Amino acid sequence: MKIGVDYYPEHWDRTLWRQDADLMKKSGVELVRMAEFAWSKMEPEEGIFDFAWLDEVVELFAGREIGVILCTPTNCPPLWLYEKYPEVLLTGRDGRRQKPAVRGHRCYNAPRYRERVELMVRKMAEHYQDAGNIAAWQIDNEVEAGSCCCDVCAEKFREWVKNKYDTLEAVNQAYHNDVWSGSYSAWSQIPAPVGNYPITQYNPAYLLDYQRFMSESTIDYVEFQAGILREYFPDTPITTNTWFCEHMPDFYKLFDKLDFCSYDNYPATKLPEEGYYSHAFHLDLIRGVKRKNFWVMEQLSGTPGCWMPMAPTVRPGMIKGYGLQAIAHGADAVINFRFRSATGGAEMFWHGLIDHSNVPGRRYAEFEELCRTVKAMRHMEGAVMQSGVALLCGFESEYAFRLQLQTEGFYYMEQLQAFHAAFTSFGVNVDIISQEADLSGYRIVVAPVMYVRSQKAVEQLHSFAYNGGIVMLTTRSGVKDENNNCIMRPLPADYADMTGCLVEEYDAVGNGKVAVEMDGKDYEGTHWCDIIRTECAETLAVYKEDFYAGKPAVTRNLYGKGVVYYTGTVGLPALCRKLTERMLEQAALPYRTDLPQCVEVTTWEKEGKQFLFVFNNDQTVKNCLFDGEQTELQPFEMKILERTL
Ligand code: GAL
Ligand code: ZN
């Protein structure tokens, strides 16, 4: 477990470097991440490389036994590169090449870009091969799988389609191209999705394939860099940092061949006025990507701004508390973004640990406390988190849901988040894993919105339930086949047998509320109502209004030795919590019902010891009972309790 900072020596006068390194050392910093945007400093002219400045900084850290995470600087190609090879710029959906004004606008498939990237990465890796303190490599920065529509991408996509379907007839069939006279009579007619039309006017089967192709192009680009780095650093761990954005590459495939997963963690500083907010959802999702611990490459350190009006400042307790929360969910390293706020450039108001004044203040003092606390936690390293609950996630459903918004306010990831929040409220560990991951060892599997078919996931869920597992399926499951076309069978189609019910009709209710009754009590759902007919399932909840009043809203079916729940609406928190409690009870998993709202508990084990991370994810004091004693938690305080098993 290590704490570090993101540092941009290229932004500061070199007289500050030594001073900064000394302060970091004194504070207990053990890792420094650098260079992800510094290409023009390292290759100021084509083919002329200069690493002297970075050498000096790397050595300063080496002398203080601080590990360096080096990043390939490929997120920001230098302006000379764009000027000489404009074809490396990303082309938007409007068919226009973007301008080189800001970072990140490059096409991963452009041959010239690949060529320049290869040289840059090779030179850098070669140069630092013998530096003793390279702790890890980060490839690029927050790679996204947005749509590049340049000619190279279009051509590559045609190849991709050819490889996948072999014949034009097969493509036409897979895309249902009979609609709107869309049949291809030559490969050349398969385009990149250029055009000024809303995305909703394109064929969703084709669009999902383009998104898959973009995700694979992104992954190929990352693996291409990893391959070069491995030639020089066969034993140094390699990663790339991700975040939750609109165009995420498929994380399960992205990290498959990388050594570990890393993530940029920016919890909101403005808490919701009511209700529950837990970004621990993201942390659990990231831990589940490789089903092992991860690093946080950027961690909230100061007032966010620039991309939007400034948010409230980081409240007292957040720096230490959110750092420890990340560790409680599996972070082996937390790197704070950034050591000092930039005094220039577009991001000058996205604050770091130290403000523009360069006077370390309240936040920096709290950061130093975090460093001290984490140093005293070394004996917990190697602890494992056991979870009886898996929550399934699939990027294909996420993509397809974005391509065709089902109804106002209905988002894929929020369906997972709702159940995650419910389990969290009971203090239960949750693994968020791929829909296709192995399910053995779990007692409960929650599979929200199994929208696009994965045959493997369908089969695994069936056998998990059949052999005694508890499964929760929700509305909009079994809707699409692998090609993103509707399945011509009553919903939930692939899951009809295991749920023991059929959806006769549905009602897209947008942001409206839906009254539901269960066990004589009132609950609410939203967004969607499946009007269900039970075949062999029992009815747990019914709708209370509209023309389907009295019809089942939630059902439960015995399937083999297991139990399958089906929720036909999107449960608001009380309903999700009630259903979650039923599953926990049935699975005989330990849970607690007395946790105050926003208190989160994660449990780790090592060599006969149990570590309980108890976190107050809120700005008011909370009290709760642990081991027979009242425990008081200050705002954002983490308490770590040790028990002998
Ligand atoms: C991240 C990005 C950083 C910085 C930060 C704060 O998404 O990787 O370079 O921009 O956000 O805005
Ligand atoms: Zn392109």
Side-chain angles (χ1 to χ4, degrees):
M1 288 169 196
K2 286 182 174 164
I3 300 296
V5 292
D6 295 295
Y7 188 54
Y8 297 90
E10 69 274 25
H11 296 181
W12 310 112
D13 190 279
R14 54 188 292 274
T15 53
L16 278 175
W17 295 347
R18 179 174 299 271
Q19 215 171 293
D20 288 346
D22 283 339
L23 177 58
M24 290 179 205
K25 179 70 190 166
K26 188 179 131 264
S27 307
V29 165
E30 293 187 274
L31 288 169
V32 173
R33 187 193 70 158
M34 295 192 291
E36 77 276 26
F37 301 122
W39 190 340
S40 72
K41 271 283 223 197
M42 288 190 260
E43 192 184 2
E45 282 174 58
E46 183 169 1
I48 311 286
F49 293 89
D50 174 14
F51 296 106
W53 65 276
L54 189 56
D55 291 348
E56 206 177 315
V57 197
V58 170
E59 274 156 31
L60 278 173
F61 291 127
R64 286 158 184 77
E65 289 171 327
I66 293 176
V68 165
I69 303 155
L70 275 186
C71 307
T72 66
T74 49
N75 185 282
C76 266
L79 293 180
W80 61 254
L81 199 158
Y82 284 134
E83 190 173 46
K84 187 153 180 206
Y85 309 111
E87 70 272 24
V88 311
L89 277 157
L90 188 129
T91 297
R93 287 207 40 241
D94 56 3
R96 302 222 317 245
R97 205 178 263 160
Q98 301 204 345
K99 301 283 177 233
V102 293
R103 64 181 180 178
H105 289 163
R106 69 281 195 240
C107 165
Y108 302 134
N109 288 322
R112 220 23 123 170
Y113 178 60
R114 288 289 189 109
E115 202 180 292
R116 297 313 316 174
V117 164
E118 164 152 20
L119 193 63
M120 178 69 246
V121 174
R122 192 172 287 288
K123 286 278 178 198
M124 194 178 179
E126 195 175 44
H127 187 85
Y128 288 103
Q129 203 172 4
D130 300 321
N133 61 329
I134 310 304
W137 277 95
Q138 174 189 302
I139 291 168
D140 209 287
N141 189 69
E142 293 187 342
V143 286
E144 291 181 27
S147 301
C148 180
C149 294
C150 76
D151 292 345
V152 173
C153 285
E155 189 50 42
K156 280 205 128 197
F157 177 59
R158 277 189 282 276
E159 283 305 309
W160 187 94
V161 174
K162 239 186 230 174
N163 269 337
K164 181 169 175 183
Y165 299 99
D166 215 21
T167 65
L168 274 177
E169 294 71 59
V171 187
N172 285 328
Q173 210 175 9
Y175 291 178
H176 270 271
N177 275 342
D178 287 333
V179 177
W180 291 0
S181 284
S183 289
Y184 304 126
S185 54
W187 292 103
S188 56
Q189 292 161 11
I190 303 179
V194 272
N196 289 325
Y197 319 107
I199 210 76
T200 44
Q201 299 204 8
Y202 290 77
N203 181 336
Y206 153 79
L207 283 180
L208 180 58
D209 263 358
Y210 203 79
Q211 187 56 58
R212 286 169 170 145
F213 163 71
M214 275 293 138
S215 174
E216 286 175 26
S217 297
T218 313
I219 294 163
D220 184 71
Y221 165 73
V222 169
E223 286 178 356
F224 158 75
Q225 291 207 26
I228 303 166
L229 293 173
R230 282 217 173 88
E231 288 179 36
Y232 303 89
F233 285 84
D235 304 318
T236 305
I238 300 172
T239 188
T240 186
N241 58 332
T242 49
W243 71 303
F244 287 81
C245 59
E246 200 181 329
H247 301 291
M248 290 175 278
D250 184 324
F251 288 176
Y252 301 108
K253 294 180 181 149
L254 174 64
F255 287 101
D256 190 40
K257 297 204 182 105
L258 299 180
D259 298 300
F260 65 102
C261 188
S262 56
Y263 166 61
D264 296 344
N265 187 32
Y266 292 105
T269 54
K270 184 173 177 9
L271 301 178
E273 264 153 38
E274 53 179 61
Y276 195 88
Y277 162 66
S278 183
H279 46 275
F281 167 72
H282 297 127
L283 298 167
D284 282 342
L285 196 150
I286 292 296
R287 189 186 66 255
V289 169
K290 284 185 86 71
R291 303 180 87 172
K292 65 179 205 186
N293 285 6
F294 58 93
W295 288 20
V296 171
M297 282 299 188
E298 296 180 18
Q299 170 83 7
L300 175 76
S301 302
T303 302
C306 290
W307 305 102
M308 61 288 215
M310 280 186 246
T313 189
V314 169
R315 320 320 289 175
M318 279 183 172
I319 300 250
K320 186 175 170 198
Y322 285 160
L324 292 173
Q325 186 199 28
I327 290 173
H329 288 269
D332 277 344
V334 177
I335 316 296
N336 279 254
F337 185 90
R338 41 191 282 165
F339 176 67
R340 184 191 296 114
S341 317
T343 51
E347 277 202 322
M348 61 174 81
F349 291 125
W350 190 289
H351 296 76
L353 288 166
I354 300 176
D355 285 328
H356 300 126
S357 62
N358 200 23
V359 180
R362 169 183 69 84
R363 297 195 308 283
Y364 196 79
E366 197 178 303
F367 170 73
E368 291 186 304
E369 216 181 297
L370 171 68
C371 293
R372 282 194 294 276
T373 306
V374 170
K375 278 218 173 106
M377 289 165 63
R378 289 276 144 87
H379 62 294
M380 297 175 200
E381 266 171 19
V384 291
M385 183 196 262
Q386 299 287 3
S387 173
V389 180
L391 185 52
L392 303 190
C393 173
F395 282 84
E396 305 236 315
S397 290
E398 154 72 10
Y399 298 152
F401 241 60
R402 277 188 192 268
L403 293 173
Q404 290 180 291
L405 182 63
Q406 299 291 289
T407 187
E408 217 184 340
F410 192 9
Y411 300 107
Y412 174 75
M413 283 293 175
E414 288 182 6
Q415 309 312 301
L416 277 65
Q417 206 152 6
F419 277 100
H420 183 268
F423 282 103
T424 300
S425 73
F426 291 113
V428 173
N429 291 348
V430 185
D431 287 349
I432 304 175
I433 55 173
S434 158
Q435 286 176 353
E436 298 189 344
D438 178 14
L439 301 178
S440 49
Y442 294 109
R443 289 287 300 122
I444 299 175
V445 171
V446 179
V449 194
M450 299 294 285
Y451 184 68
V452 174
R453 177 194 283 148
S454 144
Q455 194 53 37
K456 188 171 177 193
V458 171
E459 282 163 21
Q460 291 193 156
L461 269 177
H462 274 79
S463 73
F464 175 78
Y466 199 79
N467 293 311
I470 297 169
V471 171
M472 166 64 75
L473 279 157
T474 74
T475 180
R476 306 314 281 147
S477 290
V479 176
K480 298 287 190 100
D481 63 13
E482 291 85 345
N483 297 323
N484 204 15
N485 294 313
C486 289
I487 296 174
M488 210 161 105
R489 265 162 56 197
L491 291 170
D494 293 334
Y495 305 100
D497 53 347
M498 62 191 283
T499 55
C501 65
L502 295 175
V503 177
E504 291 185 318
E505 211 184 322
Y506 49 69
D507 192 13
V509 296
N511 287 322
K513 300 263 170 72
V514 183
V516 163
E517 187 182 316
M518 183 161 72
D519 297 335
K521 289 207 182 101
D522 289 340
Y523 295 92
E524 279 178 328
T526 181
H527 302 321
W528 203 269
C529 297
D530 280 337
I531 304 166
I532 297 171
R533 187 181 81 221
T534 52
E535 296 280 285
C536 52
E538 100 195 71
T539 299
L540 293 187
V542 293
Y543 295 112
K544 282 190 71 177
E545 53 198 3
D546 222 313
F547 69 94
Y548 37 92
K551 294 260 191 184
V554 183
T555 63
R556 182 170 60 184
N557 190 39
L558 301 179
Y559 180 72
K561 289 190 224 142
V563 181
V564 181
Y565 290 78
Y566 183 80
T567 306
T569 183
V570 174
L572 287 177
L575 182 56
C576 277
R577 205 174 129 89
K578 196 70 215 162
L579 293 170
T580 298
E581 188 173 6
R582 268 184 188 247
M583 290 189 280
L584 285 167
E585 219 170 57
Q586 193 157 33
L589 287 174
Y591 66 97
R592 33 192 306 173
T593 50
D594 62 342
L595 287 177
Q597 200 180 24
C598 302
V599 170
E600 305 175 355
V601 183
T602 46
T603 311
W604 293 75
E605 282 168 22
K606 181 184 173 183
E607 293 157 7
K609 278 240 151 90
Q610 189 178 58
F611 305 106
L612 236 62
F613 287 77
V614 185
F615 180 53
N616 178 10
N617 195 358
D618 199 11
Q619 52 206 342
T620 54
V621 175
K622 299 279 152 80
N623 279 289
C624 43
L625 204 63
F626 280 95
D627 301 327
E629 271 178 45
Q630 272 299 328
T631 305
E632 189 179 88
L633 294 157
Q634 294 306 311
F636 311 105
E637 185 182 357
M638 173 74 79
K639 281 221 158 71
I640 304 170
L641 312 173
E642 290 193 23
R643 292 168 170 172
T644 306
L645 286 171

